[in-house]
């Protein structure tokens, strides 16, 4: 036995997708649902029941406390999302998770770059 396993511990950890509007998040969650458990935080509900959906209403909802292998934050340009960005970054760093922040090119400014 060489000690190599086919599935790493990281692959067993869930994936967190935060997309208030859900346009990208729902599609991304559908693509990733076979790779790991997916937690989708969005106003839009996924069609697949395997995806854990947390409703995103007026403020950032309570996200299940877990260690996530990947964190995807889709920027909707709202103040709420931008204010929560630091928390998402800190959580991803603590989890040693892959962090991806997607935004429109025209939304990039000095403050956002500093925050990231």
């Amino acid at each position: 036995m060489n000690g190599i396993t086919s599935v790493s511990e990281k692959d067993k950890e869930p994936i967190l997708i935060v997309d208030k509007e859900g346009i990208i998040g729902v599609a991304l969650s559908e693509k990733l649902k076979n790779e790991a458990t997916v937690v989708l935080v969005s106003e839009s509900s996924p069609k697949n029941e395997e995806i854990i959906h947390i409703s995103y209403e007026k403020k950032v909802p309570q996200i299940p406390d877990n260690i996530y292998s990947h964190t995807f934050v889709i920027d909707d340009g709202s103040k709420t999302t931008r204010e929560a960005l630091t928390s998402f970054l800190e959580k991803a760093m603590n989890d040693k998770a892959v962090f991806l922040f997607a935004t429109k090119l025209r939304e990039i400014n000095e403050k956002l770059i500093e925050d990231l």
Side-chain angles (χ1 to χ4, degrees):
M1 179 75 70
N2 60 10
I4 298 174
T5 58
S6 60
V7 179
S8 72
E9 288 300 311
K10 204 62 159 168
D11 292 334
K12 295 179 185 176
E13 295 168 351
I15 297 169
L16 175 63
I17 302 171
V18 180
D19 181 6
K20 184 175 183 179
E21 295 174 3
I23 296 168
I24 296 170
V26 171
L28 182 60
S29 65
E30 291 290 334
K31 290 282 187 185
L32 296 175
K33 72 180 186 302
N34 294 327
E35 302 298 320
T37 300
V38 176
V39 176
L40 173 66
V41 181
S42 180
E43 291 175 342
S44 301
S45 299
K47 294 178 183 172
N48 192 305
E49 292 181 8
E50 294 175 26
I51 299 167
I52 299 168
H53 177 247
I54 307 296
S55 182
Y56 195 136
E57 295 175 5
K58 293 181 182 180
K59 294 188 177 185
V60 178
Q62 185 67 31
I63 296 171
D65 188 26
N66 207 333
I67 295 175
Y68 297 96
S69 64
H70 295 75
T71 300
F72 296 87
V73 177
I74 311 303
D75 185 24
D76 61 344
S78 73
K79 183 178 177 183
T80 305
T81 300
R82 293 291 174 93
E83 288 174 349
L85 186 56
T86 301
S87 297
F88 290 125
L89 279 166
E90 288 174 1
K91 174 72 172 136
M93 286 175 29
N94 288 338
D95 290 353
K96 295 184 174 71
V98 174
F99 181 82
L100 181 109
F101 178 73
T103 190
K104 298 173 187 169
L105 283 174
R106 67 177 170 252
E107 296 290 328
I108 298 174
N109 57 41
E110 285 296 318
K111 173 141 177 43
L112 179 60
I113 291 169
E114 287 175 21
D115 289 347
L116 292 172

